[in-house]
């Protein structure tokens, strides 16, 4: 059995994770931006490892994210207790309708919009990162960028602490492969209207390197 697989969206995130893993036997791969490409690429890596007789023992989706104001600070570290496909559903005059409420047969929903983190893996990460904020991490295909959409998203998910673009896709790939999953994020900016002056990319990458030591 091979070790831990850590997938990020972009090479810069992978480099930050590797910087915190000196000497550790961990595979770190940038797999692309968005839930579809991240899920497909992760599924392929897991399938190839299993076919070679060297399956991974766990998968972690890692990278930077936006944080909900008042729930986690910019520069903070987040561990997902579950990853949620926040925009998988339908709009209506009455508001957003989650996909599970659209009358589709359960077998078409796979694991549903919500994939919980593996309790054992999450517990180990919480022990190694006691200052991390634990809560729901939302996966979106369109990054939230207005005050109105931020308020609506926060109201629908009162336990959400961050939003990113890959976690749910990676979580589904891991679930289909029967491999434990967790999501680790560091916060580069507040969720809300796009304001590049409020982004703290350097601090988020530094925090990601520090948090990556927990993946040893």
């Amino acid at each position: 059995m091979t070790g831990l697989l850590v997938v990020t969206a972009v090479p810069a995130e992978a480099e930050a994770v590797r910087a915190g893993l000196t000497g550790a036997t961990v595979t770190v791969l940038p797999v692309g931006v968005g839930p579809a490409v991240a899920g497909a690429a992760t599924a392929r890596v897991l399938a190839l490892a299993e076919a070679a007789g060297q399956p991974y023992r766990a998968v972690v989706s890692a990278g930077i994210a936006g944080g909900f104001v008042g729930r986690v600070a910019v520069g903070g570290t987040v561990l997902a207790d579950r990853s949620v496909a926040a925009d998988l559903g339908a709009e209506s005059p009455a508001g957003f309708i989650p996909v599970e409420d659209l009358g589709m047969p359960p077998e078409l929903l796979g694991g549903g919009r919500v994939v919980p983190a593996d309790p054992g893996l999450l517990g180990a990460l919480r022990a190694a990162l006691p200052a991390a904020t634990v809560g729901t991490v939302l996966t979106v295909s369109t990054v939230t960028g207005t005050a109105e959409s931020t308020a609506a998203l926060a109201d629908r998910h009162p336990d959400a602490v961050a939003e990113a673009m890959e976690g749910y896709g990676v979580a589904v790939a891991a679930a289909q492969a029967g491999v434990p999953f967790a999501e680790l994020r560091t916060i580069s900016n507040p969720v809300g209207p796009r304001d590049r002056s409020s982004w703290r990319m350097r601090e988020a990458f530094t925090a990601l390197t520090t948090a990556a030591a927990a993946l040893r």
Side-chain angles (χ1 to χ4, degrees):
M1 179 177 288
T2 53
L4 179 68
L5 173 63
V6 180
V7 295
T8 69
V10 299
E13 292 169 320
E15 291 169 8
V17 171
R18 291 188 189 111
L21 288 171
T22 304
T25 306
V26 178
T27 301
V28 184
L29 296 174
V31 294
V33 176
V37 68
T42 301
R44 182 174 186 273
V45 172
L46 292 175
L48 289 173
E50 184 176 6
Q54 296 181 321
Y56 286 99
R57 60 183 175 84
V59 181
V60 174
S61 177
I64 61 175
F68 285 93
V69 175
R71 301 179 186 179
V72 63
V74 172
T77 297
V78 164
L79 294 170
D81 56 9
R82 56 182 184 165
S83 298
V84 177
D87 51 11
L88 184 58
E91 290 185 334
S92 80
F96 179 77
I97 304 174
V99 68
E100 60 266 26
D101 294 343
L102 295 176
M104 296 184 183
E107 60 268 20
L108 296 183
L109 300 179
R113 285 191 314 130
V114 179
V115 181
D118 177 77
L121 186 54
L122 177 59
L125 290 173
R126 292 184 72 168
L129 296 167
T133 300
V134 179
T136 297
V137 175
L138 306 180
T139 298
V140 294
S141 296
T142 301
V143 173
T144 305
T146 68
E148 293 77 11
S149 57
T150 300
L153 198 61
D155 286 346
R156 291 206 307 269
H157 302 278
D159 53 354
V161 293
E163 75 165 20
M165 300 183 75
E166 294 79 33
Y168 174 77
V170 177
V172 170
Q176 292 291 322
V179 176
F181 163 83
E183 185 171 2
L184 166 66
R185 299 282 175 179
T186 55
I187 305 303
S188 59
N189 59 277
V191 176
R194 291 179 66 80
D195 174 14
R196 293 184 71 91
S197 67
S198 70
W199 296 4
R200 298 292 182 267
M201 305 295 286
R202 181 178 299 177
E203 290 90 335
F205 281 121
T206 298
L208 186 58
T209 295
T210 300
L215 301 174
R216 294 172 181 269

